[in-house]
Amino acid sequence: MSDVRVQYPEMRALVLEHLARLADPAWRASNLKEDSSAELNFDDLVNFLYDTSGLLNDPRGALGFTLGSLDEVEAVQRLRDAFEAAIEEGGLSGESLGTDPLWDLIGDEAATVVDVLSARGFGGDNPSPDEGASTS
């Protein structure tokens, strides 16, 4: 299957923003705590990645909506697997949020997803939401 057009480039941009934060160890350590007063805390991040965007809930189902290729789907599936493995081991709760070693794997997978999605941009023939009309 070749690349497909992304129907929601604005949501894709938000996905990239959230995943870039998740990939940053310093950001995770200071923001992913249960008592965090950060603009984006653990509950918000998980809610966005699983529910709002549907990205981690159903990576294959995001194809054509926020994802544009099977390579992107596979990268997101590896991120979801890292989340689920950490959750099953009980490493994503309490005071360990953001600093638990299990977050390193999640952060690495998030960085990979950011790289894979960034290589394609915002959806094939969809320009970046920040790009305006061409000025020649």
Side-chain angles (χ1 to χ4, degrees):
M1 175 184 232
S2 62
D3 289 356
V4 297
R5 185 174 190 274
V6 171
Q7 293 181 26
Y8 300 105
E10 295 84 7
M11 179 63 77
R12 182 181 175 92
L14 288 172
V15 164
L16 279 164
E17 179 183 323
H18 281 74
L19 293 177
R21 289 179 181 178
L22 184 58
D24 178 6
W27 184 89
R28 288 194 311 267
S30 63
N31 292 285
L32 296 182
K33 301 180 274 191
E34 288 180 342
D35 63 348
S36 175
S37 60
E39 177 182 327
L40 179 68
N41 62 30
F42 176 75
D43 290 337
D44 296 333
L45 180 74
V46 170
N47 184 52
F48 178 81
L49 292 175
Y50 275 93
D51 299 328
T52 304
S53 70
L55 189 72
L56 295 183
N57 192 36
D58 183 11
R60 194 166 290 281
L63 185 61
F65 294 100
T66 55
L67 301 178
S69 72
L70 289 178
D71 288 343
E72 293 179 355
V73 169
E74 290 169 5
V76 170
Q77 286 174 327
R78 287 190 301 273
L79 174 60
R80 182 186 64 189
D81 292 347
F83 256 104
E84 290 179 357
I87 290 168
E88 285 176 15
E89 291 183 34
L92 299 181
S93 62
E95 295 177 4
S96 66
L97 284 172
T99 56
D100 189 285
L102 294 170
W103 277 109
D104 292 337
L105 176 59
I106 292 170
D108 291 346
E109 293 297 345
T112 298
V113 175
V114 169
D115 290 345
V116 171
L117 269 64
S118 295
R120 185 165 190 267
F122 287 88
D125 59 348
N126 294 313
S128 159
D130 297 331
E131 292 177 10
S134 168
T135 56
S136 314

